[in-house]
Amino acid sequence: MAAWALASGAVLAPPAHAAFSDTVKPFVALGYTHDDNLLRLEDGQQLDGGRADNIRQSQAGVSVEWPLGRQVLVGSAKVSKVSFDHFSQLDYTGQDYQGTWNWVVGNHLNGHLGASYAQTIAPFTDFHSNERNLKTQKRGFADIFWRFHPSWQVHAGYVNDQYDYDLASQRFNTRTEKASDAGVDFLATSGSTVGLVARRLNGHYPYANQSGPVVRESGYTQDELKLKVLWRASGLTEVQFLGGRVKRRHDLGAERDVSGTNARLTVQWTPRERLRWSAAVWREFTAVESSILNYALSKGGSVNATWDLSAKVALTASARRERRDFNGLLASVLPISYDDDSRTLGAGVSYAPTRTSQLSLQYNRETRDPSNRLFSSGYRANSVSFNASLQF
């Protein structure tokens, strides 16, 4: 406890010297969370005699922004130590590294080249086990934009994502997703854009989920053709839309193939200088990290608000609701609908005693109600988090 008091005192104290560097910015952070249903268990269910836990997290890292003429290199590296009071077998060391080269050639060519690596514990929302399951994600990406006319540009990109799970019972979710896209945009003088983008996503699962002679899930190919819109309606409002036709085909089991409309609409609104709102609605195929299925059709919406009470104090509030319709070998042949409905509410307050430090307090409530218990389970969970950070 003394270490926490010391850290909080350091954050509250005014800086004794200027920033460490305009290019390299080290930082440290401490966090404490109480969660009354860590493993997202159903009401009345317990593992090892408990449901609640306290989580302590300490972080140290550095962020970099290095201009080289017209080129800019940005990156960050962060290491976290996370410990649990009750489920101590879940203790782990988290890692997060990322770097991007924002490049420019001449007056008409620009793009990005980068990579990232992240290691954390897998979420408990779909797999309610007290065994530690570390999840790592490796990403490499590149894109290029060519503005061949004052009002027109073409672009292309490639992303390679690799997800790995170290728990044997969750190896089924290990996968590689490779996405390539190309498109054309019309650029209005107002800053708004409208365009078309074609995308192909290939998913490969090296450890097929097999039950006897039946292989439940394997690789897939997903083709998309979507309309992309960025509408700067005014200085206060910005609207983004990406949506169109999507077709998903599986390597095994044509009965799981599906097609339809996928779309996401996001609105950002700033009615006052200190008040900011954002809202989104979506209908998309999303991954499911379970031991039965690997994807669902998700339909949902969210709203977030930030209110700066002063230069040092800000309030935040958020709400999110999502329904998942499950797809898979069993779901496609049984005459029953399988879905769940998840809701999240959050509220927080942050205080910045100095320009480079921040204290924050956050409350979240999660609920999930499934139509049945075959592919999903219901739960209620409440958490309270306190965080303190300091940048040098």
Side-chain angles (χ1 to χ4, degrees), residues 33-37 40 43 51 125 317-321 341-348 362-369 379-385:
T33 299
H34 174 77
D35 195 307
D36 69 0
N37 186 9
R40 302 305 185 252
D43 293 345
R51 292 164 57 90
T125 50
S318 62
R320 175 187 171 96
R321 184 171 185 176
D341 189 354
S342 300
R343 299 172 298 281
T344 305
L345 295 174
Q362 178 74 27
Y363 166 78
N364 286 294
R365 175 174 176 80
E366 297 179 36
T367 62
R368 175 174 289 174
D369 296 307
Y379 62 79
R380 308 287 182 271
N382 298 275
S383 64
V384 179
S385 301

PDB file of all heavy atoms in Angstrom, residues 33-37 40 43 51 125 317-321 341-348 362-369 379-385:
ATOM      1  N   THR A  33      -8.331  -2.587  -9.956  1.00  0.00           N
ATOM      2  CA  THR A  33      -9.699  -2.882 -10.371  1.00  0.00           C
ATOM      3  C   THR A  33     -10.314  -3.910  -9.443  1.00  0.00           C
ATOM      4  O   THR A  33      -9.666  -4.912  -9.094  1.00  0.00           O
ATOM      5  CB  THR A  33      -9.727  -3.429 -11.814  1.00  0.00           C
ATOM      6  OG1 THR A  33      -9.189  -2.460 -12.707  1.00  0.00           O
ATOM      7  CG2 THR A  33     -11.158  -3.748 -12.241  1.00  0.00           C
ATOM      8  N   HIS A  34     -11.556  -3.663  -9.050  1.00  0.00           N
ATOM      9  CA  HIS A  34     -12.352  -4.693  -8.359  1.00  0.00           C
ATOM     10  C   HIS A  34     -13.457  -5.130  -9.306  1.00  0.00           C
ATOM     11  O   HIS A  34     -14.222  -4.300  -9.817  1.00  0.00           O
ATOM     12  CB  HIS A  34     -12.969  -4.159  -7.068  1.00  0.00           C
ATOM     13  CG  HIS A  34     -13.904  -5.154  -6.430  1.00  0.00           C
ATOM     14  ND1 HIS A  34     -13.457  -6.241  -5.711  1.00  0.00           N
ATOM     15  CD2 HIS A  34     -15.269  -5.236  -6.445  1.00  0.00           C
ATOM     16  CE1 HIS A  34     -14.492  -6.942  -5.291  1.00  0.00           C
ATOM     17  NE2 HIS A  34     -15.609  -6.367  -5.723  1.00  0.00           N
ATOM     18  N   ASP A  35     -13.536  -6.442  -9.574  1.00  0.00           N
ATOM     19  CA  ASP A  35     -14.539  -7.007 -10.473  1.00  0.00           C
ATOM     20  C   ASP A  35     -15.317  -8.066  -9.695  1.00  0.00           C
ATOM     21  O   ASP A  35     -14.730  -9.001  -9.141  1.00  0.00           O
ATOM     22  CB  ASP A  35     -13.865  -7.648 -11.693  1.00  0.00           C
ATOM     23  CG  ASP A  35     -14.835  -7.931 -12.816  1.00  0.00           C
ATOM     24  OD1 ASP A  35     -15.859  -8.584 -12.553  1.00  0.00           O
ATOM     25  OD2 ASP A  35     -14.565  -7.525 -13.964  1.00  0.00           O
ATOM     26  N   ASP A  36     -16.669  -7.917  -9.643  1.00  0.00           N
ATOM     27  CA  ASP A  36     -17.453  -8.844  -8.824  1.00  0.00           C
ATOM     28  C   ASP A  36     -17.802 -10.142  -9.548  1.00  0.00           C
ATOM     29  O   ASP A  36     -18.421 -11.033  -8.950  1.00  0.00           O
ATOM     30  CB  ASP A  36     -18.720  -8.155  -8.295  1.00  0.00           C
ATOM     31  CG  ASP A  36     -19.740  -7.847  -9.385  1.00  0.00           C
ATOM     32  OD1 ASP A  36     -19.486  -8.156 -10.570  1.00  0.00           O
ATOM     33  OD2 ASP A  36     -20.803  -7.276  -9.053  1.00  0.00           O
ATOM     34  N   ASN A  37     -17.400 -10.292 -10.818  1.00  0.00           N
ATOM     35  CA  ASN A  37     -17.626 -11.537 -11.560  1.00  0.00           C
ATOM     36  C   ASN A  37     -16.555 -11.636 -12.640  1.00  0.00           C
ATOM     37  O   ASN A  37     -16.831 -11.510 -13.831  1.00  0.00           O
ATOM     38  CB  ASN A  37     -19.028 -11.562 -12.168  1.00  0.00           C
ATOM     39  CG  ASN A  37     -19.362 -12.890 -12.821  1.00  0.00           C
ATOM     40  OD1 ASN A  37     -18.628 -13.873 -12.691  1.00  0.00           O
ATOM     41  ND2 ASN A  37     -20.475 -12.919 -13.540  1.00  0.00           N
ATOM     42  N   ARG A  40     -16.974 -14.034 -15.604  1.00  0.00           N
ATOM     43  CA  ARG A  40     -18.261 -13.878 -16.307  1.00  0.00           C
ATOM     44  C   ARG A  40     -19.097 -15.156 -16.191  1.00  0.00           C
ATOM     45  O   ARG A  40     -19.565 -15.715 -17.176  1.00  0.00           O
ATOM     46  CB  ARG A  40     -18.048 -13.483 -17.774  1.00  0.00           C
ATOM     47  CG  ARG A  40     -17.263 -12.185 -17.963  1.00  0.00           C
ATOM     48  CD  ARG A  40     -17.928 -11.049 -17.204  1.00  0.00           C
ATOM     49  NE  ARG A  40     -17.296  -9.754 -17.441  1.00  0.00           N
ATOM     50  CZ  ARG A  40     -16.554  -9.115 -16.542  1.00  0.00           C
ATOM     51  NH1 ARG A  40     -16.309  -9.677 -15.364  1.00  0.00           N
ATOM     52  NH2 ARG A  40     -16.064  -7.931 -16.809  1.00  0.00           N
ATOM     53  N   ASP A  43     -25.318 -16.568 -12.844  1.00  0.00           N
ATOM     54  CA  ASP A  43     -25.752 -16.341 -11.465  1.00  0.00           C
ATOM     55  C   ASP A  43     -25.749 -17.649 -10.681  1.00  0.00           C
ATOM     56  O   ASP A  43     -26.264 -18.673 -11.145  1.00  0.00           O
ATOM     57  CB  ASP A  43     -27.162 -15.739 -11.453  1.00  0.00           C
ATOM     58  CG  ASP A  43     -27.195 -14.330 -12.046  1.00  0.00           C
ATOM     59  OD1 ASP A  43     -26.107 -13.740 -12.177  1.00  0.00           O
ATOM     60  OD2 ASP A  43     -28.293 -13.846 -12.373  1.00  0.00           O
ATOM     61  N   ARG A  51     -16.091 -15.586  -6.996  1.00  0.00           N
ATOM     62  CA  ARG A  51     -16.433 -14.959  -8.275  1.00  0.00           C
ATOM     63  C   ARG A  51     -15.702 -13.628  -8.444  1.00  0.00           C
ATOM     64  O   ARG A  51     -15.299 -13.275  -9.545  1.00  0.00           O
ATOM     65  CB  ARG A  51     -17.942 -14.707  -8.353  1.00  0.00           C
ATOM     66  CG  ARG A  51     -18.783 -15.962  -8.426  1.00  0.00           C
ATOM     67  CD  ARG A  51     -20.248 -15.677  -8.105  1.00  0.00           C
ATOM     68  NE  ARG A  51     -20.829 -14.676  -8.976  1.00  0.00           N
ATOM     69  CZ  ARG A  51     -21.443 -14.954 -10.128  1.00  0.00           C
ATOM     70  NH1 ARG A  51     -21.539 -16.211 -10.537  1.00  0.00           N
ATOM     71  NH2 ARG A  51     -21.979 -13.995 -10.851  1.00  0.00           N
ATOM     72  N   THR A 125     -15.405 -13.459 -21.556  1.00  0.00           N
ATOM     73  CA  THR A 125     -16.801 -13.296 -21.929  1.00  0.00           C
ATOM     74  C   THR A 125     -17.384 -14.521 -22.630  1.00  0.00           C
ATOM     75  O   THR A 125     -18.585 -14.781 -22.534  1.00  0.00           O
ATOM     76  CB  THR A 125     -16.969 -12.065 -22.837  1.00  0.00           C
ATOM     77  OG1 THR A 125     -16.011 -12.142 -23.905  1.00  0.00           O
ATOM     78  CG2 THR A 125     -16.748 -10.785 -22.054  1.00  0.00           C
ATOM     79  N   ALA A 317     -19.178   9.100 -20.143  1.00  0.00           N
ATOM     80  CA  ALA A 317     -20.290   8.163 -20.019  1.00  0.00           C
ATOM     81  C   ALA A 317     -20.388   7.371 -21.317  1.00  0.00           C
ATOM     82  O   ALA A 317     -20.077   7.889 -22.401  1.00  0.00           O
ATOM     83  CB  ALA A 317     -21.598   8.897 -19.738  1.00  0.00           C
ATOM     84  N   SER A 318     -20.794   6.107 -21.220  1.00  0.00           N
ATOM     85  CA  SER A 318     -20.889   5.277 -22.417  1.00  0.00           C
ATOM     86  C   SER A 318     -21.979   4.231 -22.236  1.00  0.00           C
ATOM     87  O   SER A 318     -22.305   3.826 -21.114  1.00  0.00           O
ATOM     88  CB  SER A 318     -19.552   4.586 -22.714  1.00  0.00           C
ATOM     89  OG  SER A 318     -19.190   3.710 -21.660  1.00  0.00           O
ATOM     90  N   ALA A 319     -22.547   3.806 -23.363  1.00  0.00           N
ATOM     91  CA  ALA A 319     -23.528   2.730 -23.376  1.00  0.00           C
ATOM     92  C   ALA A 319     -23.344   1.951 -24.673  1.00  0.00           C
ATOM     93  O   ALA A 319     -23.062   2.533 -25.724  1.00  0.00           O
ATOM     94  CB  ALA A 319     -24.945   3.278 -23.278  1.00  0.00           C
ATOM     95  N   ARG A 320     -23.486   0.635 -24.587  1.00  0.00           N
ATOM     96  CA  ARG A 320     -23.290  -0.221 -25.754  1.00  0.00           C
ATOM     97  C   ARG A 320     -24.237  -1.415 -25.660  1.00  0.00           C
ATOM     98  O   ARG A 320     -24.435  -1.978 -24.571  1.00  0.00           O
ATOM     99  CB  ARG A 320     -21.840  -0.723 -25.801  1.00  0.00           C
ATOM    100  CG  ARG A 320     -21.536  -1.741 -26.911  1.00  0.00           C
ATOM    101  CD  ARG A 320     -20.139  -2.289 -26.739  1.00  0.00           C
ATOM    102  NE  ARG A 320     -19.864  -3.405 -27.633  1.00  0.00           N
ATOM    103  CZ  ARG A 320     -19.256  -3.296 -28.811  1.00  0.00           C
ATOM    104  NH1 ARG A 320     -18.838  -2.106 -29.217  1.00  0.00           N
ATOM    105  NH2 ARG A 320     -19.049  -4.359 -29.566  1.00  0.00           N
ATOM    106  N   ARG A 321     -24.815  -1.775 -26.793  1.00  0.00           N
ATOM    107  CA  ARG A 321     -25.660  -2.965 -26.855  1.00  0.00           C
ATOM    108  C   ARG A 321     -25.363  -3.719 -28.141  1.00  0.00           C
ATOM    109  O   ARG A 321     -25.230  -3.104 -29.209  1.00  0.00           O
ATOM    110  CB  ARG A 321     -27.141  -2.590 -26.794  1.00  0.00           C
ATOM    111  CG  ARG A 321     -28.059  -3.808 -26.766  1.00  0.00           C
ATOM    112  CD  ARG A 321     -29.491  -3.437 -26.488  1.00  0.00           C
ATOM    113  NE  ARG A 321     -30.329  -4.632 -26.344  1.00  0.00           N
ATOM    114  CZ  ARG A 321     -31.619  -4.607 -26.016  1.00  0.00           C
ATOM    115  NH1 ARG A 321     -32.217  -3.438 -25.792  1.00  0.00           N
ATOM    116  NH2 ARG A 321     -32.297  -5.737 -25.912  1.00  0.00           N
ATOM    117  N   ASP A 341     -27.657 -11.359 -26.214  1.00  0.00           N
ATOM    118  CA  ASP A 341     -27.838  -9.911 -26.168  1.00  0.00           C
ATOM    119  C   ASP A 341     -26.958  -9.378 -25.042  1.00  0.00           C
ATOM    120  O   ASP A 341     -27.148  -9.738 -23.871  1.00  0.00           O
ATOM    121  CB  ASP A 341     -29.311  -9.587 -25.907  1.00  0.00           C
ATOM    122  CG  ASP A 341     -29.637  -8.112 -26.065  1.00  0.00           C
ATOM    123  OD1 ASP A 341     -28.703  -7.318 -26.268  1.00  0.00           O
ATOM    124  OD2 ASP A 341     -30.822  -7.742 -25.969  1.00  0.00           O
ATOM    125  N   SER A 342     -25.965  -8.533 -25.383  1.00  0.00           N
ATOM    126  CA  SER A 342     -25.026  -7.995 -24.396  1.00  0.00           C
ATOM    127  C   SER A 342     -25.217  -6.489 -24.260  1.00  0.00           C
ATOM    128  O   SER A 342     -25.406  -5.782 -25.254  1.00  0.00           O
ATOM    129  CB  SER A 342     -23.579  -8.291 -24.802  1.00  0.00           C
ATOM    130  OG  SER A 342     -23.354  -9.677 -24.906  1.00  0.00           O
ATOM    131  N   ARG A 343     -25.145  -6.008 -23.015  1.00  0.00           N
ATOM    132  CA  ARG A 343     -25.295  -4.584 -22.742  1.00  0.00           C
ATOM    133  C   ARG A 343     -24.192  -4.141 -21.775  1.00  0.00           C
ATOM    134  O   ARG A 343     -23.884  -4.851 -20.808  1.00  0.00           O
ATOM    135  CB  ARG A 343     -26.674  -4.285 -22.145  1.00  0.00           C
ATOM    136  CG  ARG A 343     -27.814  -4.650 -23.071  1.00  0.00           C
ATOM    137  CD  ARG A 343     -29.178  -4.522 -22.398  1.00  0.00           C
ATOM    138  NE  ARG A 343     -29.334  -5.406 -21.255  1.00  0.00           N
ATOM    139  CZ  ARG A 343     -29.605  -6.700 -21.340  1.00  0.00           C
ATOM    140  NH1 ARG A 343     -29.710  -7.281 -22.536  1.00  0.00           N
ATOM    141  NH2 ARG A 343     -29.740  -7.423 -20.248  1.00  0.00           N
ATOM    142  N   THR A 344     -23.627  -2.978 -22.050  1.00  0.00           N
ATOM    143  CA  THR A 344     -22.569  -2.417 -21.208  1.00  0.00           C
ATOM    144  C   THR A 344     -22.867  -0.953 -20.927  1.00  0.00           C
ATOM    145  O   THR A 344     -23.186  -0.189 -21.848  1.00  0.00           O
ATOM    146  CB  THR A 344     -21.195  -2.535 -21.883  1.00  0.00           C
ATOM    147  OG1 THR A 344     -20.931  -3.887 -22.226  1.00  0.00           O
ATOM    148  CG2 THR A 344     -20.087  -2.033 -20.967  1.00  0.00           C
ATOM    149  N   LEU A 345     -22.750  -0.564 -19.673  1.00  0.00           N
ATOM    150  CA  LEU A 345     -22.889   0.827 -19.260  1.00  0.00           C
ATOM    151  C   LEU A 345     -21.627   1.238 -18.518  1.00  0.00           C
ATOM    152  O   LEU A 345     -21.061   0.448 -17.748  1.00  0.00           O
ATOM    153  CB  LEU A 345     -24.099   1.017 -18.354  1.00  0.00           C
ATOM    154  CG  LEU A 345     -25.481   0.767 -18.962  1.00  0.00           C
ATOM    155  CD1 LEU A 345     -26.551   0.856 -17.878  1.00  0.00           C
ATOM    156  CD2 LEU A 345     -25.762   1.761 -20.076  1.00  0.00           C
ATOM    157  N   GLY A 346     -21.171   2.466 -18.742  1.00  0.00           N
ATOM    158  CA  GLY A 346     -19.968   2.940 -18.083  1.00  0.00           C
ATOM    159  C   GLY A 346     -20.040   4.420 -17.743  1.00  0.00           C
ATOM    160  O   GLY A 346     -20.717   5.193 -18.433  1.00  0.00           O
ATOM    161  N   ALA A 347     -19.355   4.799 -16.672  1.00  0.00           N
ATOM    162  CA  ALA A 347     -19.268   6.202 -16.274  1.00  0.00           C
ATOM    163  C   ALA A 347     -17.927   6.410 -15.581  1.00  0.00           C
ATOM    164  O   ALA A 347     -17.442   5.516 -14.872  1.00  0.00           O
ATOM    165  CB  ALA A 347     -20.414   6.592 -15.346  1.00  0.00           C
ATOM    166  N   GLY A 348     -17.315   7.578 -15.810  1.00  0.00           N
ATOM    167  CA  GLY A 348     -16.010   7.819 -15.213  1.00  0.00           C
ATOM    168  C   GLY A 348     -15.719   9.287 -15.025  1.00  0.00           C
ATOM    169  O   GLY A 348     -16.411  10.156 -15.563  1.00  0.00           O
ATOM    170  N   GLN A 362     -13.326   4.754 -12.866  1.00  0.00           N
ATOM    171  CA  GLN A 362     -14.259   4.263 -13.876  1.00  0.00           C
ATOM    172  C   GLN A 362     -15.135   3.160 -13.295  1.00  0.00           C
ATOM    173  O   GLN A 362     -14.655   2.278 -12.566  1.00  0.00           O
ATOM    174  CB  GLN A 362     -13.488   3.717 -15.083  1.00  0.00           C
ATOM    175  CG  GLN A 362     -14.348   3.133 -16.185  1.00  0.00           C
ATOM    176  CD  GLN A 362     -15.066   4.178 -17.014  1.00  0.00           C
ATOM    177  OE1 GLN A 362     -14.592   5.309 -17.124  1.00  0.00           O
ATOM    178  NE2 GLN A 362     -16.193   3.805 -17.593  1.00  0.00           N
ATOM    179  N   TYR A 363     -16.442   3.227 -13.617  1.00  0.00           N
ATOM    180  CA  TYR A 363     -17.382   2.165 -13.236  1.00  0.00           C
ATOM    181  C   TYR A 363     -17.979   1.574 -14.505  1.00  0.00           C
ATOM    182  O   TYR A 363     -18.353   2.313 -15.438  1.00  0.00           O
ATOM    183  CB  TYR A 363     -18.507   2.710 -12.353  1.00  0.00           C
ATOM    184  CG  TYR A 363     -19.661   1.737 -12.217  1.00  0.00           C
ATOM    185  CD1 TYR A 363     -19.576   0.643 -11.365  1.00  0.00           C
ATOM    186  CD2 TYR A 363     -20.835   1.903 -12.962  1.00  0.00           C
ATOM    187  CE1 TYR A 363     -20.623  -0.261 -11.247  1.00  0.00           C
ATOM    188  CE2 TYR A 363     -21.886   1.006 -12.851  1.00  0.00           C
ATOM    189  CZ  TYR A 363     -21.783  -0.065 -11.992  1.00  0.00           C
ATOM    190  OH  TYR A 363     -22.814  -0.962 -11.890  1.00  0.00           O
ATOM    191  N   ASN A 364     -18.085   0.231 -14.569  1.00  0.00           N
ATOM    192  CA  ASN A 364     -18.691  -0.450 -15.707  1.00  0.00           C
ATOM    193  C   ASN A 364     -19.639  -1.534 -15.211  1.00  0.00           C
ATOM    194  O   ASN A 364     -19.358  -2.210 -14.203  1.00  0.00           O
ATOM    195  CB  ASN A 364     -17.624  -1.104 -16.597  1.00  0.00           C
ATOM    196  CG  ASN A 364     -16.865  -0.080 -17.417  1.00  0.00           C
ATOM    197  OD1 ASN A 364     -17.409   0.573 -18.289  1.00  0.00           O
ATOM    198  ND2 ASN A 364     -15.582   0.060 -17.121  1.00  0.00           N
ATOM    199  N   ARG A 365     -20.741  -1.701 -15.946  1.00  0.00           N
ATOM    200  CA  ARG A 365     -21.680  -2.788 -15.684  1.00  0.00           C
ATOM    201  C   ARG A 365     -21.929  -3.533 -16.991  1.00  0.00           C
ATOM    202  O   ARG A 365     -22.252  -2.912 -18.012  1.00  0.00           O
ATOM    203  CB  ARG A 365     -23.000  -2.263 -15.121  1.00  0.00           C
ATOM    204  CG  ARG A 365     -24.064  -3.362 -14.952  1.00  0.00           C
ATOM    205  CD  ARG A 365     -25.306  -2.866 -14.253  1.00  0.00           C
ATOM    206  NE  ARG A 365     -26.339  -3.899 -14.176  1.00  0.00           N
ATOM    207  CZ  ARG A 365     -26.366  -4.887 -13.301  1.00  0.00           C
ATOM    208  NH1 ARG A 365     -25.400  -4.981 -12.398  1.00  0.00           N
ATOM    209  NH2 ARG A 365     -27.337  -5.783 -13.296  1.00  0.00           N
ATOM    210  N   GLU A 366     -21.764  -4.852 -16.964  1.00  0.00           N
ATOM    211  CA  GLU A 366     -21.994  -5.689 -18.143  1.00  0.00           C
ATOM    212  C   GLU A 366     -23.085  -6.710 -17.842  1.00  0.00           C
ATOM    213  O   GLU A 366     -23.116  -7.299 -16.753  1.00  0.00           O
ATOM    214  CB  GLU A 366     -20.719  -6.451 -18.531  1.00  0.00           C
ATOM    215  CG  GLU A 366     -19.547  -5.585 -18.936  1.00  0.00           C
ATOM    216  CD  GLU A 366     -18.330  -6.433 -19.282  1.00  0.00           C
ATOM    217  OE1 GLU A 366     -18.524  -7.528 -19.848  1.00  0.00           O
ATOM    218  OE2 GLU A 366     -17.208  -6.029 -18.943  1.00  0.00           O
ATOM    219  N   THR A 367     -23.961  -6.933 -18.814  1.00  0.00           N
ATOM    220  CA  THR A 367     -24.963  -7.985 -18.711  1.00  0.00           C
ATOM    221  C   THR A 367     -25.051  -8.711 -20.047  1.00  0.00           C
ATOM    222  O   THR A 367     -24.847  -8.111 -21.105  1.00  0.00           O
ATOM    223  CB  THR A 367     -26.358  -7.430 -18.357  1.00  0.00           C
ATOM    224  OG1 THR A 367     -26.791  -6.547 -19.398  1.00  0.00           O
ATOM    225  CG2 THR A 367     -26.326  -6.682 -17.044  1.00  0.00           C
ATOM    226  N   ARG A 368     -25.347 -10.013 -19.982  1.00  0.00           N
ATOM    227  CA  ARG A 368     -25.551 -10.796 -21.198  1.00  0.00           C
ATOM    228  C   ARG A 368     -26.696 -11.780 -20.974  1.00  0.00           C
ATOM    229  O   ARG A 368     -26.734 -12.459 -19.946  1.00  0.00           O
ATOM    230  CB  ARG A 368     -24.289 -11.562 -21.601  1.00  0.00           C
ATOM    231  CG  ARG A 368     -24.515 -12.498 -22.799  1.00  0.00           C
ATOM    232  CD  ARG A 368     -23.222 -13.126 -23.278  1.00  0.00           C
ATOM    233  NE  ARG A 368     -22.385 -12.132 -23.939  1.00  0.00           N
ATOM    234  CZ  ARG A 368     -21.146 -12.370 -24.360  1.00  0.00           C
ATOM    235  NH1 ARG A 368     -20.605 -13.560 -24.178  1.00  0.00           N
ATOM    236  NH2 ARG A 368     -20.453 -11.424 -24.960  1.00  0.00           N
ATOM    237  N   ASP A 369     -27.604 -11.824 -21.952  1.00  0.00           N
ATOM    238  CA  ASP A 369     -28.746 -12.731 -21.904  1.00  0.00           C
ATOM    239  C   ASP A 369     -28.773 -13.544 -23.188  1.00  0.00           C
ATOM    240  O   ASP A 369     -28.972 -12.989 -24.269  1.00  0.00           O
ATOM    241  CB  ASP A 369     -30.056 -11.946 -21.758  1.00  0.00           C
ATOM    242  CG  ASP A 369     -30.124 -11.188 -20.444  1.00  0.00           C
ATOM    243  OD1 ASP A 369     -29.930 -11.827 -19.394  1.00  0.00           O
ATOM    244  OD2 ASP A 369     -30.353  -9.958 -20.467  1.00  0.00           O
ATOM    245  N   TYR A 379     -24.692 -13.631 -17.855  1.00  0.00           N
ATOM    246  CA  TYR A 379     -23.971 -13.211 -16.662  1.00  0.00           C
ATOM    247  C   TYR A 379     -24.271 -11.749 -16.357  1.00  0.00           C
ATOM    248  O   TYR A 379     -24.803 -11.006 -17.188  1.00  0.00           O
ATOM    249  CB  TYR A 379     -22.458 -13.412 -16.824  1.00  0.00           C
ATOM    250  CG  TYR A 379     -21.820 -12.622 -17.941  1.00  0.00           C
ATOM    251  CD1 TYR A 379     -21.511 -11.263 -17.798  1.00  0.00           C
ATOM    252  CD2 TYR A 379     -21.508 -13.227 -19.162  1.00  0.00           C
ATOM    253  CE1 TYR A 379     -20.912 -10.534 -18.825  1.00  0.00           C
ATOM    254  CE2 TYR A 379     -20.918 -12.512 -20.193  1.00  0.00           C
ATOM    255  CZ  TYR A 379     -20.625 -11.168 -20.016  1.00  0.00           C
ATOM    256  OH  TYR A 379     -20.046 -10.457 -21.038  1.00  0.00           O
ATOM    257  N   ARG A 380     -23.924 -11.357 -15.134  1.00  0.00           N
ATOM    258  CA  ARG A 380     -23.966  -9.967 -14.694  1.00  0.00           C
ATOM    259  C   ARG A 380     -22.606  -9.673 -14.072  1.00  0.00           C
ATOM    260  O   ARG A 380     -22.075 -10.487 -13.323  1.00  0.00           O
ATOM    261  CB  ARG A 380     -25.064  -9.738 -13.652  1.00  0.00           C
ATOM    262  CG  ARG A 380     -26.450 -10.229 -14.072  1.00  0.00           C
ATOM    263  CD  ARG A 380     -27.063  -9.332 -15.128  1.00  0.00           C
ATOM    264  NE  ARG A 380     -28.400  -9.790 -15.472  1.00  0.00           N
ATOM    265  CZ  ARG A 380     -28.677 -10.679 -16.418  1.00  0.00           C
ATOM    266  NH1 ARG A 380     -27.669 -11.241 -17.097  1.00  0.00           N
ATOM    267  NH2 ARG A 380     -29.906 -11.036 -16.690  1.00  0.00           N
ATOM    268  N   ALA A 381     -22.040  -8.510 -14.354  1.00  0.00           N
ATOM    269  CA  ALA A 381     -20.726  -8.164 -13.806  1.00  0.00           C
ATOM    270  C   ALA A 381     -20.632  -6.660 -13.596  1.00  0.00           C
ATOM    271  O   ALA A 381     -21.097  -5.871 -14.427  1.00  0.00           O
ATOM    272  CB  ALA A 381     -19.611  -8.632 -14.739  1.00  0.00           C
ATOM    273  N   ASN A 382     -20.037  -6.280 -12.472  1.00  0.00           N
ATOM    274  CA  ASN A 382     -19.775  -4.884 -12.151  1.00  0.00           C
ATOM    275  C   ASN A 382     -18.296  -4.729 -11.816  1.00  0.00           C
ATOM    276  O   ASN A 382     -17.711  -5.597 -11.157  1.00  0.00           O
ATOM    277  CB  ASN A 382     -20.606  -4.421 -10.952  1.00  0.00           C
ATOM    278  CG  ASN A 382     -22.095  -4.495 -11.217  1.00  0.00           C
ATOM    279  OD1 ASN A 382     -22.687  -3.583 -11.777  1.00  0.00           O
ATOM    280  ND2 ASN A 382     -22.716  -5.606 -10.807  1.00  0.00           N
ATOM    281  N   SER A 383     -17.700  -3.626 -12.254  1.00  0.00           N
ATOM    282  CA  SER A 383     -16.287  -3.378 -11.950  1.00  0.00           C
ATOM    283  C   SER A 383     -16.059  -1.901 -11.688  1.00  0.00           C
ATOM    284  O   SER A 383     -16.742  -1.037 -12.252  1.00  0.00           O
ATOM    285  CB  SER A 383     -15.389  -3.848 -13.096  1.00  0.00           C
ATOM    286  OG  SER A 383     -15.636  -3.097 -14.275  1.00  0.00           O
ATOM    287  N   VAL A 384     -15.094  -1.643 -10.814  1.00  0.00           N
ATOM    288  CA  VAL A 384     -14.651  -0.285 -10.506  1.00  0.00           C
ATOM    289  C   VAL A 384     -13.139  -0.256 -10.648  1.00  0.00           C
ATOM    290  O   VAL A 384     -12.439  -1.115 -10.107  1.00  0.00           O
ATOM    291  CB  VAL A 384     -15.064   0.143  -9.079  1.00  0.00           C
ATOM    292  CG1 VAL A 384     -14.564   1.545  -8.783  1.00  0.00           C
ATOM    293  CG2 VAL A 384     -16.579   0.072  -8.922  1.00  0.00           C
ATOM    294  N   SER A 385     -12.627   0.747 -11.389  1.00  0.00           N
ATOM    295  CA  SER A 385     -11.179   0.830 -11.655  1.00  0.00           C
ATOM    296  C   SER A 385     -10.663   2.204 -11.261  1.00  0.00           C
ATOM    297  O   SER A 385     -11.330   3.230 -11.506  1.00  0.00           O
ATOM    298  CB  SER A 385     -10.888   0.587 -13.137  1.00  0.00           C
ATOM    299  OG  SER A 385     -11.361  -0.680 -13.553  1.00  0.00           O
TER     300      SER A 385
END
